DNA sequence: TCTTGACCTCAACCAAGCTTGAGGTTTTAT
DNA sequence: ATAAAACCTCAAGCTTGGTTGAGGTCAAGA
């Protein structure tokens, strides 16, 4: 077992973080984490890695992709314990992102309420059909579904 | 061009719905839609397909996977125009699903608010670390990140 | 009739986020 | 010293939701 203050093996990190060894390798390949190596080429992590991994997982659970998480982690240098202030700042950003998602969903829900009575889902008129004009942008030839026909 | 009341080709459906032909083929392969065939083996869709596709896309945009959409479409038989009542019922279900997601996110946001001051992210104590006990369930050996060490 | 555009199938490829397996090496406990 | 457990790399496979391309056929206007 590791002594207090010593480096952690990948297996220990996996066990403590609940993240599979293969996922840790994957995160390393993606540049999210890194580790020192022994002369025999095995990974050795400083304990800070656990907090870093915790942050990665929380952000991922919040719906951020790994690619999005990389810049989020920028303010937290590797090999250093992130300060409470660092974490505070990041978490504030996350809060904003979540709030935005809530707002989007609430807007959708309200539109849905307006639709419940109509049953229309018309291509150009139903607000549901164009949650954020995405389809309108790529559907170059969208045509009104005329009520008499459908 | 198609006469009123006639069947639609896959190209026409694509143009009117804003969904790529390849995606229509894909949906068919997944069992979400179907089409009659000409003697020459080309697809011919009834106009009802447009509403069905509209429903599929809305549900997908709401975050449902295609696999989840299949049962949602069950009450809407193919080859028949879904009634306003059918749509109304489905949409009510969607509303519920959205509301649930909003509630989950709001809960997360509130926990985040509780965390902003602490900067902890402790594995077992920080509420953020266990948004819905998912990690607790699969992280069999998770160990408390002791404050003095990290 | 003929030509052209639209259609057909099937297979391969993409991104994300991993897991699994093969084949081989290092570390650690006894 | 040795044997087992843990580690290493690299490649392939999985799922979702499609797109792209090859090679060939169909349908409709001139």
């Amino acid at each position: 077992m590791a002594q207090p203050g010593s480096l952690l093996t990948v297996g220990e990190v996996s066990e403590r973080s609940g993240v599979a060894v293969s996922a840790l390798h994957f995160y390393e390949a993606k540049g999210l984490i890194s580790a020192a190596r022994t002369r025999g080429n095995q990974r050795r992590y400083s304990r800070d890695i656990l907090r870093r991994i915790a942050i990665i997982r929380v952000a991922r659970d919040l719906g951020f992709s790994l690619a999005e998480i990389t810049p989020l982690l920028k303010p937290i240098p590797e090999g250093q314990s992130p300060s409470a202030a660092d974490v505070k700042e990041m978490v504030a950003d996350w809060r904003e992102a979540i709030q935005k998602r809530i707002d989007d969903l609430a807007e959708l829900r309200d539109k849905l309420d307006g639709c419940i009575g109509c049953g229309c889902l018309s291509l150009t008129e139903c607000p549901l059909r164009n949650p954020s004009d995405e389809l309108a942008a790529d559907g170059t030839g969208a045509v009104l579904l005329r009520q008499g026909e459908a």
Side-chain angles (χ1 to χ4, degrees), chain A residues 67-123:
Chain A
E68 289 168 327
I69 293 172
T70 307
L72 276 181
L73 286 174
K74 279 235 174 87
I76 301 195
E78 280 206 76
Q80 280 183 43
S81 200
S83 69
D86 288 336
V87 173
K88 188 171 164 179
E89 199 182 311
M90 268 195 339
V91 167
D93 287 346
W94 298 349
R95 204 213 114 104
E96 252 183 73
I98 292 172
Q99 188 58 54
K100 181 170 186 329
R101 240 183 292 158
I102 289 175
D103 292 344
D104 288 348
L105 283 172
E107 196 186 326
L108 213 48
R109 180 200 57 203
D110 295 342
K111 282 180 177 172
L112 220 36
D113 286 340
C115 276
I116 280 184
C118 80
C120 61
L121 291 172
S122 129
L123 284 182

Side-chain angles (χ1 to χ4, degrees), chain A residues 17-74:
Chain A
S17 66
V19 174
V21 170
S22 60
L24 295 173
H25 287 180
F26 184 75
Y27 291 162
E28 183 177 312
K30 292 290 175 183
L32 291 167
I33 61 177
S34 65
R37 297 291 180 128
T38 63
R39 269 172 301 177
N41 198 35
Q42 296 197 354
R43 291 169 178 84
R44 287 299 180 270
Y45 297 91
S46 71
R47 283 171 186 281
D48 304 328
I49 200 69
L50 291 173
R51 180 163 291 183
R52 194 176 178 90
I53 291 168
I55 291 168
I56 292 169
R57 289 253 125 166
V58 171
R60 202 209 46 171
D61 289 347
L62 293 183
F64 292 99
S65 70
L66 296 187
E68 289 168 327
I69 293 172
T70 307
L72 276 181
L73 286 174
K74 279 235 174 87

